[in-house]
Amino acid sequence: MNRYPMFSPQLLVSFVAVCETMSFTRAADRVSLSQSTVSQQVRRLEELLGKALFERTSHEVRLTEEGIKLLSYARRIIALNEEAHDALTGPWRDGVLRLGMPEDFTVPTVDLLAAFKREHPHLRLDVTSGLSPDLHRAYRQEELDLVLVKQRRVHLPRAARPEPLLWLDSQEHPAIEQSPVPLAVFPVNGLYREELCGTLDSLGIRWRVGYSGGGLAALAAASAAGLGVSLLPASCRLPAHRVLGTAERLPPIDDFELALFYRDSASAIALGLAGRLIDFCGLNP
């Protein structure tokens, strides 16, 4: 049970209108009610509080000391009521679109997403970045609506393009010349790790994990600095990298792709963003 009677926002709206116009007639016009209804609502407030809120004469209406105190609270209550309504029904009336993408695409796509958001100001855009296997898992569990992932050509996407990979090492401090060969890799189950380790195993090349990290930029920097051989997208190549290949008995890895997924039930807004991503990434539907 509430200790105190609850203020009705409608009563407070009429009360504030009278305060700001200093007239029951003008207040009634403002709130689109009859003058008698506004008068009744003010009386109900006064009965609720047991105090007079206005001093009335035949010529003017003036606030009492209690009325002045209530006015500040009334405005705050009305504003909070409007804020709650907007939070639940107003600003995001176009809903929420949940997008997942690899870490290395979050910065390049910022301008694209900003332009899309300006066209849909009442859409909330939730963007999740992470490892592609985690993003694909979240998509299958319907935690994401639209995902851009890097994958082997296994799952059939809506659009895709080849994602060439390179064996990368340091020019100045080559890790490939060490034994066992140190590797710069994603954590266990991370993208490209299985391909890298499996290929070295098949070639009889001994290896050890020299560096493990969760971000493409970090892995690229680590391999360029000599912390380990890495298998990464060609776009991650740095000037300090040495590209390895047939001279080191390392075969090309050419069955990866950048892929976009969305559902048959995708909204028109989701389809619009998908189209932008297809164009931006050069994907083939």
Side-chain angles (χ1 to χ4, degrees), residues 40-283:
Q40 289 172 9
Q41 290 179 337
V42 171
R43 279 198 298 271
R44 285 173 61 189
L45 272 178
E46 291 177 326
E47 292 169 0
L48 186 67
L49 294 168
K51 299 179 183 296
L53 300 174
F54 294 101
E55 294 178 357
R56 303 167 178 85
T57 69
S58 58
H59 301 293
E60 64 179 350
V61 176
R62 290 190 301 174
L63 280 165
T64 63
E65 183 176 344
E66 288 76 13
I68 293 172
K69 291 179 182 177
L70 179 61
L71 178 58
S72 174
Y73 289 107
R75 284 172 170 156
R76 288 156 57 187
I77 292 170
I78 293 169
L80 189 59
N81 184 75
E82 293 173 350
E83 180 182 332
H85 182 273
D86 285 346
L88 295 172
T89 64
W92 315 128
R93 58 176 174 263
D94 286 339
V96 178
L97 182 57
R98 302 166 300 173
L99 169 66
M101 62 173 62
E103 175 200 6
D104 55 318
F105 277 81
T106 55
V107 173
T109 58
V110 163
D111 289 341
L112 180 153
L113 296 179
F116 186 79
K117 185 66 177 66
R118 284 192 293 271
E119 295 176 14
H120 303 279
H122 300 297
L123 171 74
R124 193 179 90 193
L125 188 59
D126 286 353
V127 180
T128 299
S129 63
L131 297 177
S132 289
D134 296 335
L135 296 175
H136 211 291
R137 188 179 307 110
Y139 175 75
R140 292 196 305 270
Q141 295 171 352
E142 299 191 1
E143 297 171 3
L144 295 171
D145 305 307
L146 192 72
V147 289
L148 189 66
V149 296
K150 297 176 180 181
Q151 63 166 17
R152 300 196 82 151
R153 297 191 187 100
V154 178
H155 307 290
L156 188 61
R158 297 285 182 163
R161 67 164 167 78
E163 175 80 334
L165 302 180
L166 294 177
W167 295 92
L168 297 175
D169 197 359
S170 170
Q171 286 188 10
E172 189 171 353
H173 307 287
I176 192 66
E177 297 175 3
Q178 301 179 39
S179 183
V181 175
L183 306 180
V185 292
F186 283 111
V188 175
N189 297 323
L191 198 62
Y192 316 131
R193 177 168 175 150
E194 181 181 344
E195 287 70 29
L196 193 159
C197 299
T199 298
L200 295 185
D201 286 340
S202 68
L203 295 172
I205 298 176
R206 295 174 56 242
W207 57 268
R208 61 180 175 84
V209 175
Y211 178 93
S212 177
L216 280 171
L219 286 180
S223 61
L227 289 176
V229 171
S230 196
L231 181 65
L232 294 173
S235 58
C236 295
R237 181 182 179 182
L238 300 175
H241 272 135
R242 166 187 171 186
V243 178
L244 308 178
T246 53
E248 293 80 20
R249 298 191 296 146
L250 297 174
I253 306 293
D254 55 7
D255 58 347
F256 274 82
E257 64 183 1
L258 179 66
L260 180 69
F261 290 86
Y262 56 85
R263 298 179 181 85
D264 292 337
S265 59
S267 66
I269 290 179
L271 293 175
L273 181 56
R276 302 287 182 87
L277 291 170
I278 288 171
D279 291 341
F280 179 81
C281 298
L283 306 182

Side-chain angles (χ1 to χ4, degrees), residues 4-67:
Y4 304 106
M6 299 293 289
F7 288 112
S8 164
Q10 185 57 58
L11 300 185
L12 296 177
V13 167
S14 293
F15 167 71
V16 170
V18 175
C19 293
E20 293 179 348
T21 63
M22 282 296 129
S23 164
F24 280 83
T25 302
R26 290 193 294 272
D29 290 338
R30 175 180 290 191
V31 297
S32 300
L33 295 172
S34 67
Q35 180 178 336
S36 61
T37 299
V38 172
S39 297
Q40 289 172 9
Q41 290 179 337
V42 171
R43 279 198 298 271
R44 285 173 61 189
L45 272 178
E46 291 177 326
E47 292 169 0
L48 186 67
L49 294 168
K51 299 179 183 296
L53 300 174
F54 294 101
E55 294 178 357
R56 303 167 178 85
T57 69
S58 58
H59 301 293
E60 64 179 350
V61 176
R62 290 190 301 174
L63 280 165
T64 63
E65 183 176 344
E66 288 76 13

